[in-house]
Amino acid sequence: MKRKKEKEPPASLAPTLLRWYDAHARVLPWRAPKGRKPDPWHVLLSEYMLQQTTVATVIPYYRKFLRRWPRLDAFAKAGLDEARAAWSGLGYYRRAGFLHRCARAVVKDHGGRLPRTEKELLALPGIGPYTAAAIAAIAFDRPANVMDGNIARVMARLFRHKGPRAALKAKAGRCAPRKRPGDYAQALMDLGATVCLPKNPRCGACPVMRFCAAHARGETGKYPQAPARAAAPRKYGVAFVLRDPKGRVLMRKRAEGGLLGGMWEFPSTSWETVKPGAATIRAAAPVAVPWRGGGRKIRHVFSHFRLELSLRRGHSRGAIRPRSGDYRWIGAREFSTLALPTVMKKIWKAAQEE
Ligand code: SF4
């Protein structure tokens, strides 16, 4: 059977998009003013922060980081706990550890200068194919096939693409220009974020409407095709907030490497798909004191499961020694500087309100 020849993307797509970008680019704090080269540290930091996170959420954290660590080598000298504390609230906490390791690797192996090629960037901690391509294009204006969620949506509609993402990426790669690759990638990101929206794309305002196969067929709602997803499981646990007469709070540090690795938490039962019974709760309590509460529920959504914790509060009359060495009493001043993930902040807020 004769294979159908794939239609080539129009050569005028990139120039059209770049003209639109020149007039409509979003003003974002990590973008260099027109005619100036971007600072690679700014691009690196923003790309780490933007993984799975919206621009609006990232901006205040990005500014806070740059105020504190205006240069990559300054950040590399910071302690890991300090980096995690500054990241606290931004979510996906492994990124903070990866960024810190990445900065140290850049100082150690590249003299403090971020490497320019995708291959070298890919070898750094926490940098995957998308981030390597984005940094190479945006920070160093090197030709790269950048595809994030926004760009994938635009491309899927332009080509009415069904099927594997790798095939879509190959089609997108054939559109990528050799001139101004960084601006082209950012133009596609902006188009996806402001015009080619997930629901109700603003096709009337779209600079590439005349190239768009989905629009021509009135099928923009059909693209991109949603991958079949299993419902996220629900997990349960009990969290313990224990204070002593000095106002200190009992905390423990989570193991490195796993979910919320290396971050501080309130002691809790392990998080399981069944609700913990009385014996499990008793065994997980860090000390034997009368525990109050239990009715208040704290809910949090992680990327791959939903968590429901019930809260127990306790007061120790004196200096009780916790059951294991992983725990520490934390005073109020230190508590305010801890790297606390959002779910722990929710627990603390609920404990204050009860
Ligand atoms: Fe997206 Fe509409 Fe533009 Fe097609 S015409 S790329 S669907 S905004």
Side-chain angles (χ1 to χ4, degrees):
M1 198 174 73
K2 217 176 162 187
R3 270 189 83 194
K4 203 174 147 194
K5 197 170 176 259
E6 238 173 44
K7 211 176 149 194
E8 281 302 311
S12 50
L13 181 91
T16 307
L17 201 54
L18 283 166
R19 270 197 302 280
W20 173 81
Y21 183 71
D22 288 339
H24 298 279
R26 287 177 294 173
V27 176
L28 297 172
W30 42 87
R31 285 189 178 165
K34 213 171 175 183
R36 298 257 301 273
K37 286 191 176 167
D39 181 321
W41 166 230
H42 297 182
V43 177
L44 178 78
L45 179 61
S46 64
E47 286 300 333
Y48 267 83
M49 288 187 164
L50 286 164
Q51 289 166 16
Q52 319 279 343
T53 312
T54 63
V55 165
T57 304
V58 163
I59 286 175
Y61 285 89
Y62 172 83
R63 291 209 161 109
K64 180 168 77 171
F65 263 65
L66 276 198
R67 272 196 303 275
R68 196 148 165 197
W69 299 295
R71 292 162 48 111
L72 180 145
D73 53 356
F75 178 67
K77 282 185 198 144
L80 179 56
D81 280 347
E82 221 185 323
R84 282 189 177 133
W87 196 278
S88 173
L90 193 53
Y92 298 95
Y93 295 96
R94 290 181 59 181
R95 293 179 297 173
F98 277 134
L99 178 62
H100 192 253
R101 278 171 52 204
C102 173
R104 291 198 164 176
V106 169
V107 168
K108 184 171 161 277
D109 302 331
H110 300 277
R113 292 167 80 95
L114 199 61
R116 303 167 73 88
T117 67
E118 277 186 70
K119 195 176 165 203
E120 290 169 299
L121 287 161
L122 260 175
L124 292 169
I127 295 194
Y130 159 74
T131 309
I135 294 172
I138 298 170
F140 303 115
D141 217 23
R142 293 179 74 93
N145 188 5
V146 184
M147 184 171 283
D148 68 355
N150 275 335
I151 297 178
R153 182 171 61 256
V154 173
M155 289 294 165
R157 287 171 174 165
L158 281 173
F159 291 108
R160 285 179 69 238
H161 176 83
K162 293 178 184 167
R165 178 121 163 190
L168 180 64
K169 197 168 176 201
K171 288 177 189 171
R174 294 203 295 276
C175 304
R178 299 207 58 83
K179 277 189 186 165
R180 299 180 64 192
D183 285 347
Y184 174 76
Q186 293 179 97
L188 280 171
M189 290 172 187
D190 283 13
L191 189 73
T194 63
V195 178
C196 194
L197 303 170
K199 288 180 190 160
N200 305 321
R202 298 169 51 228
C203 300
C206 180
V208 292
M209 185 177 76
R210 68 181 190 276
F211 306 121
C212 181
H215 179 264
R217 298 263 189 128
E219 292 180 349
T220 56
K222 288 191 184 171
Y223 299 90
Q225 287 192 319
R229 261 201 197 161
R234 195 175 285 273
K235 293 192 177 184
Y236 303 90
V238 171
F240 303 94
V241 175
L242 181 70
R243 279 179 262 207
D244 76 356
K246 294 180 186 164
R248 297 180 305 175
V249 186
L250 191 68
M251 306 289 291
R252 73 178 167 196
K253 211 170 197 190
R254 291 179 67 88
E256 293 287 345
L259 179 72
L260 310 177
M263 310 223 27
W264 288 93
E265 68 171 359
F266 296 101
S268 73
T269 60
S270 60
W271 303 343
E272 306 290 347
T273 49
V274 288
K275 291 186 179 176
T280 306
I281 297 171
R282 243 190 336 272
V287 296
V289 295
W291 292 98
R292 283 174 290 131
R296 184 77 185 259
K297 301 281 184 271
I298 295 113
R299 294 186 175 85
H300 189 75
V301 179
F302 290 97
S303 56
H304 51 299
F305 68 95
R306 294 165 176 273
L307 179 64
E308 182 183 294
L309 294 171
S310 66
L311 175 66
R312 298 278 199 285
R313 291 175 300 113
H315 281 94
S316 73
R317 293 224 183 90
I320 293 179
R321 272 180 163 254
R323 281 179 181 155
S324 88
D326 300 342
Y327 296 102
R328 258 184 60 201
W329 287 104
I330 306 273
R333 189 179 299 172
E334 190 186 355
F335 186 83
S336 65
T337 68
L338 287 188
L340 271 193
T342 304
V343 61
M344 297 302 147
K345 287 181 179 166
K346 287 183 184 174
I347 294 171
W348 181 239
K349 188 163 177 275
Q352 310 286 87
E353 287 167 359
E354 273 211 337

